[in-house]
Amino acid sequence: MALTYEKPTLKDIPAMQALVEPEVANGLILRRDVNEMAQTIRSYTIAKDKDELVGFAALNIYSPKLAEVRSLVVGRAWRGRGVGSELVRRLEEEGRRLGLEMILVLTYHRTLFEKLGFEEIPKEQIPEQKIWADCIKCPHFPVCNEISLIKKL
């Protein structure tokens, strides 16, 4: 498996949307339209096998101290092979390089993040800007079953 991890270009957006669509349809990830993905394209890291997109995730910055791992998705055929873990590790490296102190995640897959050193926190500790920027758009709001976890960098 010779995967590459890189920053996407705007031309990658259709493949990114196609990869995430099943998770959006299942209500596991929020839908991001083309314009929103274009505006935030620099926050993403993608994983490719040759020219095939196999996964991606974003590092969304909220403040000089805090960011969030957002929109983590790995294609079904690639799950269980370390792609998600490597994407998160690369986002952590980016966060450290930028000078962040902590990374937050809201997820239904707590085990992956706990293996990477994230610890559960009460949802009351989630930054207000996250609630009004993203959570309010979610069909599950305000009754959310996602687990909130955080990691100090």
Side-chain angles (χ1 to χ4, degrees):
M1 171 169 72
L3 293 182
T4 59
Y5 294 85
E6 59 197 54
K7 289 297 190 178
T9 68
L10 296 168
K11 291 179 182 178
D12 290 307
I13 291 175
M16 292 168 72
Q17 287 190 309
L19 186 64
V20 78
E21 184 53 40
E23 305 306 321
V24 170
N26 289 333
L28 299 176
I29 295 182
L30 286 177
R31 180 177 309 281
R32 310 273 180 210
D33 68 27
V34 171
N35 290 333
E36 184 177 3
M37 290 185 84
Q39 291 167 7
T40 59
I41 196 71
R42 290 175 287 204
S43 69
Y44 291 95
T45 296
I46 60 175
K48 284 187 171 181
D49 178 32
K50 297 180 181 134
D51 290 330
E52 178 193 1
L53 179 73
V54 300
F56 67 88
L59 182 68
N60 189 58
I61 299 172
Y62 288 111
S63 74
K65 294 181 179 184
L66 178 70
E68 176 190 16
V69 172
R70 179 164 102 164
S71 303
L72 173 62
V73 64
V74 175
R76 291 201 185 279
W78 289 89
R79 292 181 187 170
R81 297 164 79 175
V83 176
S85 295
E86 184 61 23
L87 283 165
V88 173
R89 278 193 282 278
R90 287 174 182 261
L91 295 181
E92 288 175 13
E93 285 176 23
E94 183 178 353
R96 280 187 201 92
R97 205 170 44 253
L98 292 170
L100 291 168
E101 295 177 14
M102 295 176 289
I103 296 184
L104 168 78
V105 67
L106 275 85
T107 183
Y108 295 105
H109 304 287
R110 75 184 304 153
T111 306
L112 167 69
F113 290 96
E114 287 174 337
K115 286 179 183 175
L116 295 171
F118 285 74
E119 297 178 2
E120 186 174 353
I121 60 167
K123 286 191 182 148
E124 296 78 35
Q125 292 182 16
I126 296 172
E128 192 173 287
Q129 60 264 50
K130 165 66 178 170
I131 304 301
W132 296 113
D134 289 323
C135 295
I136 197 78
K137 299 176 191 175
C138 182
H140 305 294
F141 184 79
V143 181
C144 175
N145 293 326
E146 285 187 305
I147 310 294
S148 49
L149 300 108
I150 202 159
K151 181 176 182 177
K152 292 183 180 175
L153 297 178

